[in-house]
């Protein structure tokens, strides 16, 4: 039937459900899991979850390492909820904000029996919703029947896994001339993924030759640096320097990708900033939150460049990983153009960590 939602549409619906605190069902016609995001957990729903069985709190291996919990499943741990654990306990385990003030969360007992594939998929789902990567889960014998009875979104595991892994094509939505201070001959293009996800932008300066390597930059959105002028990073100066260089050259494309905080979202980025104020560097802060060093997907940039008619680029970046990703996606990078910006006392340590731990060429 044409009105039935596709797997991608169901995944999008599930993200919205989790963000408002609704449960999501993950399972086929047999057994499955009832999921609740730890970040948006409400006490009455935790009680309802307990009535279904014995919930576990799935956290990433990174977060488990911080909590000194056993990650028997390798990249994740399934923590057994202690008797009497409330929503506040769940949040304290998921969110490192008070780790230093209240370091002892345990004893934390990890489940070691049974498969963790669905729990791993559940964590990927909440990550895609830009929530803390921690999920409460309880097994139910009839996932489809339970979802139908209580009118919840149900995701079929294999279809959901494929949907989360694949790159969703970016479709052009609108474009218009936009003169800018740093590049008067500008044009802004809006692209939207075919699953209705967040939009990304291409700022075209001048009329770049489609048959020649285009001066390009993949710039991840940074509200704090680009808009507020934060001194904690180099994002704002990089954005303005790149646009000014393209303006002087007369042509170029800046891809503005909405992957705030290296792909973890602005709220989680602010949590990481708070942890940095406690003495952790940017990579350590991401790990304490349960994320990897960098959660971005640079396939987005390659897709936009191809759709704009470019197959070669002179890439303005200090990050070799961007070059590798574009090359892997079929965009020939003929030159890496260094992007040199001033440092200040607030971002010196941040830049040193980028060079030492993330391989940036500064």
């Amino acid at each position: 039937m044409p009105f039935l939602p596709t797997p991608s549409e169901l995944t999008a619906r599930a993200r919205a459900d989790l963000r408002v605190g609704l449960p999501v069902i993950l399972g086929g016609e047999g057994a499955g899991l009832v999921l609740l995001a730890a970040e948006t957990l409400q006490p009455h729903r935790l009680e309802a979850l307990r009535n279904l069985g014995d919930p576990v709190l799935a956290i990433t291996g990174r977060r488990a390492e911080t909590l000194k919990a056993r990650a028997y499943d390798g990249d994740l741990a399934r923590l057994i909820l202690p008797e009497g654990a409330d929503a506040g306990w769940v949040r304290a385990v998921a969110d490192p904000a008070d780790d230093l003030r209240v370091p002892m969360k345990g004893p934390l007992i990890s489940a070691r029996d049974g498969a963790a594939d669905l729990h791993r998929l559940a964590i990927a789902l909440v990550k895609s919703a830009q929530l803390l990567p921690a999920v409460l889960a309880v097994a139910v014998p009839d996932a489809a029947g339970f979802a139908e009875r209580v009118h919840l979104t149900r995701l079929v595991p294999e279809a959901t896994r494929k949907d989360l892994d694949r790159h969703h094509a970016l479709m052009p939505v609108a474009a218009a001339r936009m003169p800018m201070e740093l590049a008067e001959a500008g044009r802004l293009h809006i692209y939207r993924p075919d699953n209705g996800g967040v939009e990304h932008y291409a700022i075209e300066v001048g009329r770049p030759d489609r048959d020649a390597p285009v001066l390009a930059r993949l710039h991840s959105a940074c509200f704090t640096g680009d808009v507020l002028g934060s001194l904690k990073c180099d994002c704002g100066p990089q954005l303005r320097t790149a646009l000014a260089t393209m303006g002087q050259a007369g042509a170029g494309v800046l891809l503005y990708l909405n992957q705030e905080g290296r792909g973890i979202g602005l709220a989680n980025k602010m949590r990481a900033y708070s942890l940095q104020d406690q003495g952790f560097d940017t990579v350590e802060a991401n790990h304490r939150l349960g994320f990897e060093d960098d959660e971005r997907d640079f396939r987005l940039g390659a897709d936009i460049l191809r759709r704009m008619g470019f197959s070669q680029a002179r890439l303005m970046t200090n990050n070799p990983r961007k070059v590798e990703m574009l090359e892997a996606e079929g965009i020939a990078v003929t030159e890496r153009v260094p992007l040199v910006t001033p440092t200040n006392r607030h971002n010196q340590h941040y830049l040193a960590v980028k060079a030492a731990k993330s391989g940036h060429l500064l």
Side-chain angles (χ1 to χ4, degrees):
M1 290 182 61
F3 291 131
L4 288 176
T6 67
S8 287
E9 290 163 347
L10 284 173
T11 303
R13 182 187 292 177
R15 289 192 193 97
D17 289 351
L18 291 167
R19 288 179 65 86
V20 299
L22 272 174
V24 168
I25 311 301
L26 187 57
E29 295 301 322
L33 297 179
V34 181
L35 309 175
L36 281 167
E39 180 175 341
T40 55
L41 178 65
Q42 299 168 44
H44 71 286
R45 289 202 166 116
L46 173 57
E47 182 180 354
L49 203 66
R50 284 187 180 278
N51 290 335
L52 293 176
D54 297 320
V56 297
L57 177 61
I59 60 174
T60 67
R62 293 292 192 187
R63 183 67 181 137
E65 183 179 1
T66 295
L67 296 170
K68 304 296 187 289
R70 296 292 183 91
Y72 292 118
D73 302 308
D75 57 345
L76 65 92
R78 292 169 290 149
L79 304 180
I80 297 171
L81 257 64
E83 187 175 348
D86 59 10
W89 183 91
V90 171
R91 177 60 183 261
V93 171
D95 189 341
D98 286 332
D99 277 359
L100 296 188
R101 187 177 64 84
V102 188
M104 298 301 292
K105 302 285 197 301
L108 299 174
I109 301 174
S110 302
R112 58 193 308 170
D113 297 326
D117 293 347
L118 293 185
H119 301 82
R120 185 171 292 107
L121 182 57
I123 287 177
L125 181 62
V126 293
K127 274 188 177 183
S128 76
Q130 295 193 338
L131 297 170
L132 286 167
V135 190
L136 271 172
V138 67
V140 290
D142 178 14
F146 184 82
E148 186 174 353
R149 286 195 301 275
V150 293
H151 307 289
L152 294 177
T153 301
R154 179 174 68 89
L155 303 177
V156 176
E158 189 55 34
T160 304
R161 188 175 292 108
K162 289 179 180 178
D163 183 68
L164 291 176
D165 287 343
R166 78 180 179 92
H167 169 68
H168 289 272
L170 292 163
M171 311 305 294
V173 177
R177 186 178 68 87
M178 187 185 70
M180 298 168 288
E181 289 181 6
L182 297 172
E184 188 171 343
R187 188 172 182 81
L188 180 62
H189 303 257
I190 310 298
Y191 290 85
R192 183 181 299 151
D194 60 12
N195 66 345
V198 66
E199 293 163 357
H200 305 278
Y201 320 128
I203 303 162
E204 183 177 11
V205 176
R207 295 294 182 190
D209 183 354
R210 266 56 177 175
D211 295 322
V214 62
L215 182 62
R217 167 149 179 82
L218 274 63
H219 188 89
S220 297
C222 178
F223 174 76
T224 51
D226 299 341
V227 179
L228 302 181
S230 169
L231 299 176
K232 285 176 67 71
C233 65
D234 57 345
C235 303
Q238 284 190 331
L239 173 66
R240 291 184 287 276
T241 299
L243 285 174
T245 303
M246 292 174 186
Q248 293 164 6
V253 173
L254 187 140
L255 305 177
Y256 197 86
L257 308 177
N258 276 307
Q259 301 190 104
E260 184 88 36
R262 296 185 182 180
I264 66 177
L266 183 57
N268 287 318
K269 175 180 168 181
M270 289 300 96
R271 291 182 174 117
Y273 269 24
S274 180
L275 292 173
Q276 289 169 37
D277 288 340
Q278 296 178 26
F280 301 102
D281 67 37
T282 181
V283 171
E284 292 167 343
N286 270 28
H287 290 178
R288 293 186 76 88
L289 285 163
F291 294 102
E292 296 301 316
D293 303 19
D294 195 333
E295 300 269 356
R296 289 175 291 183
D297 182 358
F298 292 119
R299 292 177 297 181
L300 299 166
D303 189 351
I304 294 176
L305 285 175
R306 278 195 301 269
R307 289 182 183 279
M308 294 183 73
F310 299 105
S311 60
Q312 305 173 77
R314 298 171 54 233
L315 190 63
M316 299 185 71
T317 184
N318 302 323
N319 184 357
R321 181 168 172 251
K322 291 184 180 180
V323 175
E324 294 168 4
M325 181 63 77
L326 280 187
E327 292 274 7
E329 292 297 313
I331 301 295
V333 179
T334 61
E335 179 186 1
R336 184 189 70 84
V337 181
L339 190 55
V340 181
T341 57
T343 61
N344 63 70
R345 64 185 180 90
H346 299 283
N347 69 14
Q348 284 177 338
H349 181 61
Y350 166 78
L351 295 175
V353 171
K354 280 183 29 170
K357 293 189 174 182
S358 301
H360 287 226
L361 304 174
L362 301 176

